[in-house]
Amino acid sequence: MPWSKLKQDEVAVRRTALLKLRREGVRYDDERILALGYNSAATARSDLKRALEAHRDEEAAEVSIYRQQENERLDALLEAAWPAATTPKAIRNKEGDVVGEEIDMRAVDTVLRLMDRRAKLNGLDMPVKTEVTGANGGPLQMGPATTAELEALMGLGAPKSSEDAGDK
């Protein structure tokens, strides 16, 4: 049987207070959390998990609606650009005679960008594989490093060459 509106409001208020306390770093077994009406730290933890899952479901539904709207917009744009990208146009000389045909490459580029946007929106592209290697393609050597060493590796603290120093 579904909860009454009053019960739903009480749970929402309790969960809001729980979230506030947890953001402040208050432990589940703290008396302030237990004072919200939880029997134990485990009950409070479970309730917070349920609250987060409910919000995740709501967010997923909103994302799904947004994705559908964007796909419909992309459909309309693709429908408008497709004929220009796929139908050759006549090329005429000065006298007006047809001397050849060509595809509108700007329209082709537009169609490809629309298709790329759709693939990104819907997660159709495969993830790019990257591999980090050490010197000469060998294994990456890991170990403790100082802040100065890390900055030098990232180019943040790279020593300036004598040429750079002379420019200033």
Side-chain angles (χ1 to χ4, degrees):
M1 180 169 147
W3 284 350
S4 69
K5 179 69 173 145
L6 178 61
K7 179 70 172 172
Q8 290 174 1
D9 289 345
E10 289 173 356
V11 169
V13 168
R14 185 178 67 229
R15 285 180 175 172
T16 300
L18 175 63
L19 282 166
K20 181 179 182 289
L21 290 170
R22 288 296 296 149
R23 278 195 314 266
E24 293 172 1
V26 175
R27 295 170 45 101
Y28 286 107
D29 58 358
D30 187 279
E31 64 185 46
R32 291 173 287 177
I33 287 182
L34 297 176
L36 294 174
Y38 295 106
N39 297 329
S40 67
T43 306
R45 186 178 293 111
S46 295
D47 198 33
L48 181 63
K49 183 179 176 185
R50 281 191 297 273
L52 294 174
E53 287 173 356
H55 285 292
R56 184 177 35 232
D57 292 344
E58 291 169 7
E59 289 170 4
E62 289 296 321
V63 167
S64 178
I65 291 168
Y66 168 75
R67 185 174 287 122
Q68 180 61 34
Q69 287 174 335
E70 287 298 303
N71 275 310
E72 289 171 5
R73 290 176 180 142
L74 290 170
D75 287 342
L77 292 170
L78 190 59
E79 187 178 337
W82 189 262
T86 58
T87 306
K89 302 287 187 233
I91 301 173
R92 300 184 182 276
N93 62 15
K94 291 180 183 180
E95 292 79 35
D97 300 327
V98 176
V99 295
E101 291 182 332
E102 70 179 0
I103 297 287
D104 182 351
M105 294 310 289
R106 287 182 60 194
V108 170
D109 185 53
T110 299
V111 166
L112 290 174
R113 284 186 284 135
L114 289 168
M115 292 169 68
D116 183 54
R117 176 67 188 118
R118 182 186 308 277
K120 288 177 185 173
L121 178 67
N122 295 309
L124 299 176
D125 292 338
M126 293 291 293
V128 176
K129 261 185 137 175
T130 58
E131 183 176 319
V132 179
T133 60
N136 300 320
L140 183 63
Q141 299 297 319
M142 300 295 288
T146 66
T147 303
E149 290 171 325
L150 292 173
E151 288 175 348
L153 284 171
M154 294 185 303
L156 299 175
K160 297 199 182 287
S161 66
S162 57
E163 294 173 5
D164 290 340
D167 292 342
K168 295 197 175 201

